Amino acid sequence: NAGVTQTPKFQVLKTGQSMTLQCAQDMNHNSMYWYRQDPGMGLRLIYYSASEGTTDKGEVPNGYNVSRLNKREFSLRLESAAPSQTSVYFCASSPEGTYQPQHFGDGTRLSIL
Amino acid sequence: RKEVEQDPGPFNVPEGATVAFNCTYSNSASQSFFWYRQDCRKEPKLLMSVYSSGNEDGRFTAQLNRASQYISLLIRDSKLSDSATYLCVVNTNAGKSTFGDGTTLTVKP
């Protein structure tokens, strides 16, 4: 049982390049999330999708777009990468409901030069 | 003021010690609570949920104090492998999750 799968695991970009981070879950969860974590810092929510067909901004959405392609997949796109977006990106999913914890993928380590 | 606050530490303790972390939250509408563990540069992993009556899982005990709006995590008989960052998470009745910034624990031989 794979859980939450993120691709790629590592990526180096040049300033101004674009890329899409992929996330898929096989737990039939309704809600999915994208976070970033900078060195020595806590998690910050970028975007989330409470259910298929809906997306909402989190704490730090600027510079990012998301697509909830279907119930399984939630992608994060950087249209024009900036060095300030160098970070570790985590995708998470959870069943619907207040009492459910989130389950995380193992992250994408992104460096922007 | 942050919605969820944790003492960042670091907590440096010897093997076998008992250590406790607190986490305070500001939203009185918070409904559910969790502790996660995060190893260096890896994904957060669910350690345990926190129930109103308190709950225990082996060497780990979690407690909730709704009146004072804090949760705690007690680790008994610390092992070297307990060294990690511990995150508390608070869910509101709107389904929003808020993560604390974490408390770092180092267990030394």
Side-chain angles (χ1 to χ4, degrees):
Chain A
N1 196 353
V4 180
T5 302
Q6 292 184 234
T7 55
K9 299 270 188 285
F10 302 91
Q11 185 70 48
V12 179
L13 294 177
K14 294 181 180 178
T15 298
Q17 287 185 313
S18 61
M19 81 161 294
T20 300
L21 280 60
Q22 307 287 351
C23 175
Q25 51 91 9
D26 62 5
M27 296 176 283
N28 201 35
H29 287 171
N30 283 321
S31 302
M32 297 186 73
Y33 312 83
W34 275 106
Y35 294 89
R36 63 177 287 176
Q37 187 173 36
D38 300 328
M41 305 284 285
L43 294 166
R44 291 188 290 172
L45 182 65
I46 304 170
Y47 271 94
Y48 67 100
S49 172
S51 61
E52 186 178 356
T54 68
T55 60
D56 287 286
K57 295 179 180 179
E59 181 186 355
V60 288
N62 291 344
Y64 306 95
N65 285 303
V66 290
S67 296
R68 183 74 184 265
L69 304 170
N70 48 54
K71 190 171 186 178
R72 289 187 64 248
E73 299 172 287
F74 188 37
S75 63
L76 178 71
R77 182 162 178 83
L78 285 70
E79 291 292 351
S80 178
S84 61
Q85 294 177 305
T86 294
S87 192
V88 180
Y89 290 83
F90 291 107
C91 177
S93 70
S94 68
E96 191 170 6
T98 298
Y99 299 94
Q100 305 299 328
Q102 295 180 24
H103 302 263
F104 285 80
D106 54 10
T108 295
R109 282 138 186 86
L110 181 62
S111 292
I112 299 161
L113 308 176
Chain B
R1 182 187 172 192
K2 290 185 178 181
E3 288 188 49
V4 176
E5 294 202 66
Q6 297 183 247
D7 181 347
F11 284 68
N12 298 307
V13 302
E15 270 188 293
T18 296
V19 61
F21 309 134
N22 280 342
C23 169
T24 59
Y25 60 94
S26 60
N27 189 340
S28 59
S30 299
Q31 293 292 325
S32 58
F33 310 87
F34 309 94
W35 283 102
Y36 281 71
R37 171 195 170 122
Q38 185 175 27
D39 293 289
C40 186
R41 295 184 64 76
K42 295 195 172 181
E43 76 276 22
K45 293 184 178 178
L46 180 66
L47 180 65
M48 59 197 301
S49 301
V50 185
Y51 302 120
S52 296
S53 56
N55 49 298
E56 188 174 307
D57 182 1
R59 297 181 293 106
F60 299 84
T61 300
Q63 297 210 318
L64 166 65
N65 184 319
R66 285 192 183 272
S68 300
Q69 295 185 195
Y70 75 85
I71 64 173
S72 63
L73 178 68
L74 180 77
I75 305 175
R76 291 182 299 278
D77 189 22
S78 299
K79 312 291 185 190
L80 295 175
S81 57
D82 293 334
S83 297
T85 296
Y86 291 84
L87 310 175
C88 73
V89 183
V90 176
N91 285 7
T92 67
N93 57 0
K96 177 186 172 188
S97 294
T98 303
F99 284 74
D101 287 343
T103 297
T104 299
L105 171 67
T106 301
V107 181
K108 300 190 174 182

